[in-house]
Amino acid sequence: MGKSSKDKRDLYYRRAKEEGWRARSAFKLLQLNEQFDLFSGVTRVVDLCAAPGSWSQVLSKEIFTKDHSPDARIVAVDLQPMSPIDHVTTLQADITHPKTLERIMEIFGGKKADFVCSDGAPDVTGLHDLDEYIQAQLILSALQLATCVLKEGGSFVAKIFRGRDIDLLYSQLGYLFDKVICAKPRASRSSSLESFIVCIGYRPRAGWKPELRPDLSTEEFFQDMGIGRARLHSDLAVDDEERKVAPFIACGDLNSIDSDATYSRGEVGRSLDPVQMPTAPPYKRALERKRGEQPSE
Ligand SMILES: C[S@@+](CC[C@H](N)C(=O)[O-])C[C@H]1O[C@@H](n2cnc3c(N)ncnc32)[C@H](O)[C@@H]1O
């Protein structure tokens, strides 16, 4: 699809370029913040799965205000390289690897974070069950890392896809946070199953010291918290009514752009270039080959 037709089909895409955001996802975090006031008093933040960096741009703008704390730090982690963003330390790393946690803690000088967010999405294989499983694992990895890095009372926001086992995840999160809400910003298309879990007030069980080790499976990591797929499935047979349903909240001003609508040419105007060209697009090697160059990696 051409740039200008995408500009009409998706006004958030257009608006992102006008306002200097690297991706339309910026509006999702802004609308979540409007609803839940996520950034008040926040100094240290981890942005997981952050490339190309529109959430980090929002965080940089919101946290590095005129009177920001001298302790303020933002760490952005992604498998892909990211172009620099003011006040943001970028790490090219895998969030599922325990070394990544060590590197984050080094940047924070051993202090814990107030806020962890993850907008992670793995590459899609097209095999539905496999994609759903990998996505669920990525959320659990983000949660694992969050439990190690968050201070008590901190918050966690992560993208989820409302699928078969979603209320299991709500129950799991209910063990760790005071409040768990499922939110759908207006910038997220209603045709998509995407939503965001907003978890407020991190409250790990007394005595539980989460520790990321390469030899521990996700299941073993969360064992003492009653969290894990196998554990939950067996629990469910017994404790069906203990399944929690998180309140579902739509957020974003009702007058804001409808992400499922197509707008007329007059409303859209001239097509704009992307704010930041992709650093490592999947088609890079193909272009290098076509030009007869040696592939860079
Ligand atoms: C939808 S994009 C994130 C967009 C970003 N929030 C923004 O506003 O620009 C999803 C990202 O998840 C990253 N990702 C997927 N699996 C990952 C992993 N295991 N570790 C780190 N990043 C990962 C992908 O590389 C991709 O850049």
Side-chain angles (χ1 to χ4, degrees), residues 25 49 93 167 219 266:
S25 321
C49 303
D167 45 350
E219 202 86 9

Side-chain angles (χ1 to χ4, degrees), residues 48-49 78-79 118-124 134-135 138 159 161 194:
L48 299 172
C49 303
D78 202 285
L79 290 172
S118 171
D119 190 23
D123 287 342
V124 175
I134 298 173
Q135 177 66 31
L138 194 62
K159 172 156 76 193
F161 291 92
E194 171 190 271

Side-chain angles (χ1 to χ4, degrees), residues 3 7 13-21 272-275:
K3 250 191 308 174
D7 278 353
Y13 170 78
R14 163 85 192 185
R15 179 75 67 82
K17 291 191 287 180
E18 284 170 356
E19 294 181 17
W21 305 116
L272 300 171
D273 287 331
V275 171

Side-chain angles (χ1 to χ4, degrees), residues 146-280:
T147 58
C148 296
V149 84
L150 263 186
K151 71 173 194 196
E152 279 213 40
S155 311
F156 174 62
V157 168
K159 172 156 76 193
I160 52 163
F161 291 92
R162 282 164 294 140
R164 267 177 308 197
D165 288 343
I166 199 60
D167 45 350
L168 301 185
L169 181 68
Y170 297 149
S171 310
Q172 294 170 335
L173 293 165
Y175 285 106
L176 293 165
F177 293 89
D178 290 340
K179 242 199 225 170
V180 179
I181 303 126
C182 177
K184 178 85 174 170
R186 270 178 70 84
S188 170
R189 293 187 189 89
S190 35
S191 49
S192 147
L193 285 178
E194 171 190 271
S195 296
F196 293 84
I197 34 157
V198 179
C199 307
I200 296 168
Y202 177 50
R203 208 72 59 203
R205 192 175 287 171
W208 185 57
K209 291 232 173 342
E211 191 194 355
L212 267 186
R213 296 200 327 245
D215 56 318
L216 281 190
S217 67
T218 315
E219 202 86 9
E220 288 163 334
F221 177 89
F222 285 120
Q223 206 164 25
D224 296 341
M225 300 298 292
I227 294 178
R229 269 172 181 263
R231 170 78 190 271
L232 271 157
H233 278 297
S234 58
D235 279 358
L236 281 173
V238 193
D239 288 329
D240 223 13
E241 71 271 20
E242 274 193 21
R243 298 178 84 167
K244 290 196 180 70
V245 178
F248 184 86
I249 294 184
C251 47
D253 186 339
L254 277 180
N255 294 321
S256 49
I257 302 165
D258 180 348
S259 47
D260 287 287
T262 298
Y263 292 84
S264 76
R265 190 185 293 270
E267 288 167 75
V268 172
R270 189 176 59 84
S271 165
L272 300 171
D273 287 331
V275 171
Q276 176 67 54
M277 295 306 281
T279 46

Side-chain angles (χ1 to χ4, degrees), residues 60-71:
S60 170
K61 196 164 165 231
E62 296 281 337
I63 285 149
F64 282 83
T65 51
K66 268 199 299 321
D67 47 359
H68 69 263
S69 148
D71 262 2

